[in-house]
Amino acid sequence: MSSSIRPLARVFTRASRAARFPSTPITTAAAASLHSQCPRHIPRITSTTTPATAHAFSTTSVRARAKTMGQLRARNSTGPFSWKAALLFVLTGGAMIIYFRVEKERLERKRIAEMSKGVGKPKVGGPFVLKDLDGQEFTAEDLKGKYSFVYFGFTHCPDICPDELDKMAEIIDKVQAATKGENIFLPVFITCDPARDTPEVLRTYLQEFHKDIIGLTGTYEEVKHVCRQYRVYFSTPRDVKPGEDYLVDHSIYFYLMDPEGDFVECIGRQDTPDTATNTIMEHINDWKREGKPLKRD
């Protein structure tokens, strides 16, 4: 009895071990022995050993799969961004910052220019009638169509006017270079001393600084009127006898006027030729950007 139970116990022990450790296969012989000794209580156990042919596989497909998975892991390790995407993001952000900064400055310049036209604000510029160095009538309408750069002075000025006219000459050359000779910039010198600054005197004087400066003069009343239009301080005496010496005081500013004849900027003694040119070109470029017309003759 005990001898017949021992084989059966060994079979059950093997079956239990196989259940706990599936990696250990139950052989066909052990399964048959177990079933023969206890056929009613233990179902027939077939071999779990798969034929060798079922495990056949291609090494090429495994290598390709491994390579593909490695590429996926390498690609996914960088996350959704790559260095190219990061560079594009930085460049786009920088361009947007520059654009908004330039646009903000342009709108600020436009706002300041519009303020000079507002109701209740002192308006610089306006209608006037003077004479050029050829004796031809020159009015405020002749300034329109281009950016004009107006300065008030006199030929007997000892030091300030020569310094400012030297600066004006540099600005003319720099603006012409920046606009590539478009001829859209009109430099104008208006005398505050019409009694001594005749057309002949003005022509000789202005040629010493720059050939493109347009000289304007007129009667005492005409000059006084244009100085009032531009808010220029005017202290020239009315009745001057020939040969009489006197002093002339005036404001020291360059007035930048847009192609519609409106004041847009004031250039003072604190400005250098470079800073003045930059300011002028900002306004010219703003005008072009808005698609407004310019005279180039």
Side-chain angles (χ1 to χ4, degrees), residues 74-128:
R75 186 176 63 186
N76 293 333
S77 64
T78 61
F81 294 104
S82 65
W83 68 268
K84 292 182 179 180
L87 179 60
L88 180 61
F89 178 79
V90 171
L91 293 177
T92 303
M96 291 180 65
I97 291 173
I98 293 172
Y99 170 78
F100 285 117
R101 183 179 299 171
V102 171
E103 186 66 11
K104 180 180 178 181
E105 292 174 354
R106 184 187 71 83
L107 292 175
E108 181 64 16
R109 288 192 297 269
K110 186 175 182 180
R111 184 185 68 82
I112 294 174
E114 290 293 331
M115 285 176 60
S116 66
K117 309 175 190 178
V119 178
K121 301 290 182 180
K123 188 176 186 302
V124 177
F128 65 84

Side-chain angles (χ1 to χ4, degrees), residues 29-169:
S33 174
L34 179 62
H35 187 269
S36 63
Q37 297 183 40
C38 192
R40 289 180 297 178
H41 301 288
I42 301 175
R44 182 177 296 276
I45 300 174
T46 58
S47 174
T48 59
T49 304
T50 306
T53 56
H55 291 284
F57 58 89
S58 172
T59 57
T60 303
S61 62
V62 172
R63 289 175 183 173
R65 187 182 309 147
K67 183 178 180 181
T68 303
M69 293 302 295
Q71 290 175 345
L72 288 174
R73 283 195 297 271
R75 186 176 63 186
N76 293 333
S77 64
T78 61
F81 294 104
S82 65
W83 68 268
K84 292 182 179 180
L87 179 60
L88 180 61
F89 178 79
V90 171
L91 293 177
T92 303
M96 291 180 65
I97 291 173
I98 293 172
Y99 170 78
F100 285 117
R101 183 179 299 171
V102 171
E103 186 66 11
K104 180 180 178 181
E105 292 174 354
R106 184 187 71 83
L107 292 175
E108 181 64 16
R109 288 192 297 269
K110 186 175 182 180
R111 184 185 68 82
I112 294 174
E114 290 293 331
M115 285 176 60
S116 66
K117 309 175 190 178
V119 178
K121 301 290 182 180
K123 188 176 186 302
V124 177
F128 65 84
V129 178
L130 294 172
K131 293 286 195 307
D132 64 17
L133 301 185
D134 294 324
Q136 301 296 318
E137 184 177 274
F138 193 102
T139 71
E141 293 299 314
D142 294 307
L143 297 179
K144 294 184 178 181
K146 302 182 179 184
Y147 270 89
S148 55
F149 199 51
V150 183
Y151 181 76
F152 291 80
F154 61 108
T155 60
H156 284 70
C157 183
D159 49 12
I160 295 177
C161 287
D163 290 344
E164 292 302 285
L165 286 173
D166 280 334
K167 183 165 70 177
M168 187 180 196

Side-chain angles (χ1 to χ4, degrees), residues 176 178-184 284 288 294-297:
Q176 287 179 349
T179 57
K180 300 179 180 179
E182 284 187 278
N183 192 25
I184 57 176
I284 290 176
K288 290 180 177 180
L294 283 166
K295 285 171 54 177
R296 292 175 169 81
D297 56 351

Side-chain angles (χ1 to χ4, degrees), residues 249-281:
D249 194 11
H250 62 91
S251 303
I252 308 170
Y253 292 106
F254 292 97
Y255 300 90
L256 181 65
M257 314 296 289
D258 70 17
E260 293 178 350
D262 292 317
F263 168 79
V264 293
E265 196 78 38
C266 191
I267 306 296
R269 298 192 69 187
Q270 74 280 2
D271 291 289
T272 66
D274 287 331
T275 60
T277 301
N278 290 338
T279 299
I280 293 167
M281 289 307 304

